[in-house]
Structures are given as C-alpha cells and as structure tokens.
Amino acid sequence: MLEIQNMTVCYQGQPAVKNFSMRLQAGEIVSLTGESGSGKTTVIRAVLGLLAGGGRVTQGDILLDGKSLLTNTPEEWRRLRGTEISMVFQDSGAMLNPIRRVGDVFTEYIRTHSRMPKAEAWKRGVSMLEQMHLSGGGSIMKSYPFQLSGGMRQRVGIAMAMTFRPRLLLADEPTSALDVTTQAQIVRQMMELRDEYGTSILVVTHNLGMAAYLSDRIIVMKDGQAADSGTREDILGGGRSSCTRELLDAVPSLGGVRDA
Ligand SMILES: Nc1ncnc2c1ncn2[C@@H]1O[C@H](COP(=O)(O)OP(=O)(O)O)[C@@H](O)[C@H]1O
Ligand SMILES: [Mg+2]
C-alpha cells in the first residue's frame, strides 16, 4: 500500500536521506532502526508530508496505493491525516495540552476530522480508550495529562491516532520514553491493532529487540541510506551489513521485550 521510491530528502540543501526505497504491504509491520541521526524520523515525516526545518523531498516519490503523496494539496492532506494515515510520537503526552482535560482535546480532535456531535465524540473517545485497555475511560477523559502516567498518556495518543481506523500508522519511537513493562504492553497493543484492523504500521525504533519482536521486516538505516533489510530472522541472524552486527552487539538482551 505504501511505496517509497528512491527518495532523497534535504534540509537546506544537505541530504539527510539518500536514495531510500521501501514497501509496506497492507497489514504489515516494518521497523526502521539504526543509529541516531541515520534519517529514520526524516523518512516517516516525509511520508506524512510534515518535514521539519524546511526539509524537502528532492528526488524520488512516495506512493500510497499507487498515488503520489508529494503532489497532495493541503486539502487532500487534511482529508488523509488523522484518518487514513496517522502518527504516534515518542511522547504523545506532549501533544495533549497540559492545561486542558484529555477528553476535551480528544473530542476536539475527533470533531476536526468528522461532523460528530460533542457528546457522541466524547463517547467515542471513552470507547477508544477502553479498546486500548485503559479501564475507566470516562475518568481518564476527565483527567489532566499530568494526572496520568507516561504509559497512559502514550496509550491515549495511540487511541487518538486509531480513532478513524487509519490504514497506515506511523510511529516514531513510540515506547522510548517508557519503562520496559509498559513498552511491552504498548508493543503488544500495536500488534493487536494490526490484527484487528489490518492497519499497516511503520515504526521507528532504535531498540532492535523491540523491532525484532514487533515487526515482519526490519530496515537498518545508516547515514540516510538503507544499510540492510530483511525479515527479523535475517537481521537477527547477523544481517548482511557490519552496521547490523554493531547494532546487535549493542543490544544487551534481545529476549528482554519478548519475556517482559
Ligand atoms: N529539522 C531539521 N533541520 C535540519 N537538519 C535536520 C532536521 N531534522 C533532522 N536533520 C538532519 O537529518 C539527519 C537525520 O535526522 P533524523 O531523521 O532525525 O534521524 P534519526 O531519526 O534517525 O535520529 C541528521 O543529520 C539531522 O541532523
Ligand atoms: Mg528520530
């Protein structure tokens, strides 16, 4: 469903991602991993059409169901983002306004993407939270972000992102700010979403253990390029590139996430 073809992305004329290609099939989970600064975030922000710092796709194409996203008008983006394609960030809590109740932000989010009346949007929020196994969705809706743990805030962020059952979920280090147990819960929930809704997921993580647990395929990035890619068995088996082996050496225990 998603295809990136020979994409180069530059910030102020400097290439950050070079000649990068990948495909994501419906219902597939692919991880982008690799050292810090290797271009992972740039790839997924390019897909969402939200490059920071004046970043631009200078070469190649990004196709969703065969249609280029690069030629989207702002109106087309408004229709796609949040509904067909949505994104989860490292700290979704930061997306929630600290001085407003979670439920007010959640209902407003729903209402920017649909014509749902307020009361119905609120109920929809509660049911999405419950689908994320956050019990007492109603009381979470009435809470302020600081009253929730980081893991709960992150699940609120994922619940929001999943409201319209997007076909494509982009997640940038969705568990990096969390403790290992919460990480494992969130990873399992993302896999459940894929199983239930057939959502395709492109997840950025520097945690190779998590990538291995979660994904069907792993792409290892280095200096803005795909240094290696394959099934998790290929990559965990040592991959083809020395940079995959360096990453493997840096992981203390690959069993960590799976056993947690
Ligand atoms: N907003 C920006 N302005 C200028 N350069 C950037 C910006 N964001 C990222 N870069 C550069 O692009 C490269 C890749 O960064 P990034 O995609 O954030 O990597 P990763 O997510 O793998 O850590 C880095 O060299 C970084 O300095
Ligand atoms: Mg990043």
Side-chain angles (χ1 to χ4, degrees):
M1 50 112 51
L2 178 73
E3 189 174 355
I4 302 179
Q5 299 174 333
N6 300 317
M7 177 177 75
T8 295
V9 182
C10 294
Y11 296 100
Q12 289 95 39
Q14 286 299 315
V17 166
K18 291 163 257 177
N19 227 351
F20 179 86
S21 298
M22 67 164 287
R23 274 165 181 273
L24 184 66
Q25 314 283 354
E28 195 180 27
I29 303 182
V30 172
S31 288
L32 285 181
T33 188
E35 60 192 24
S36 175
S38 56
K40 307 179 296 294
T41 296
T42 300
V43 168
I44 60 169
R45 294 193 76 102
V47 173
L48 200 63
L50 288 178
L51 285 163
R56 272 184 0 101
V57 176
T58 56
Q59 188 198 298
D61 209 346
I62 306 172
L63 306 174
L64 185 68
D65 299 328
K67 183 188 175 299
S68 176
L69 293 177
L70 298 180
T71 54
N72 272 355
T73 62
E75 178 51 34
E76 284 171 313
W77 272 125
R78 256 194 301 279
R79 262 186 279 129
L80 275 180
R81 276 193 210 117
T83 52
E84 298 265 315
I85 307 180
S86 58
M87 179 142 175
V88 179
F89 299 90
Q90 178 168 345
D91 180 11
S92 294
M95 212 170 77
L96 296 167
N97 185 329
I99 58 164
R100 295 185 59 210
R101 295 185 307 171
V102 167
D104 293 332
V105 175
F106 204 154
T107 33
E108 204 172 277
Y109 172 80
I110 291 174
R111 283 159 52 80
T112 56
H113 294 288
S114 72
R115 293 171 194 278
M116 219 180 271
K118 234 178 199 161
E120 197 183 321
W122 184 279
K123 273 194 218 144
R124 179 72 170 273
V126 173
S127 101
M128 284 310 298
L129 293 175
E130 284 173 356
Q131 275 181 53
M132 289 303 294
H133 308 294
L134 285 163
S135 51
S139 74
I140 292 173
M141 292 286 273
K142 290 192 197 114
S143 307
Y144 289 90
F146 70 86
Q147 294 172 307
L148 307 177
S149 68
M152 284 165 90
R153 282 198 301 264
Q154 194 62 343
R155 280 144 89 174
V156 171
I158 298 175
M160 283 172 73
M162 290 305 296
T163 305
F164 296 100
R165 299 193 180 183
R167 296 165 55 227
L168 174 60
L169 181 68
L170 305 167
D172 194 355
E173 305 277 8
T175 66
S176 302
L178 306 170
D179 63 82
V180 174
T181 312
T182 315
Q183 283 186 10
Q185 285 167 351
I186 288 188
V187 164
R188 272 191 225 109
Q189 267 167 11
M190 292 186 7
M191 295 168 84
E192 237 175 77
L193 294 173
R194 183 268 298 271
D195 295 342
E196 274 174 38
Y197 304 131
T199 309
S200 308
I201 303 178
L202 180 59
V203 55
V204 162
T205 175
H206 64 262
N207 181 339
L208 199 51
M210 180 180 129
Y213 181 81
L214 175 71
S215 26
D216 303 307
R217 279 188 302 119
I218 300 174
I219 299 172
V220 179
M221 293 192 68
K222 187 177 173 68
D223 298 332
Q225 290 178 302
D228 204 351
S229 75
T231 63
R232 72 171 153 224
E233 289 77 16
D234 294 338
I235 297 294
L236 294 187
R240 287 185 306 270
S241 136
S242 60
C243 108
T244 305
R245 287 187 291 277
E246 277 164 34
L247 278 175
L248 285 169
D249 290 342
V251 179
S253 156
L254 281 176
V257 174
R258 200 179 275 269
D259 297 341

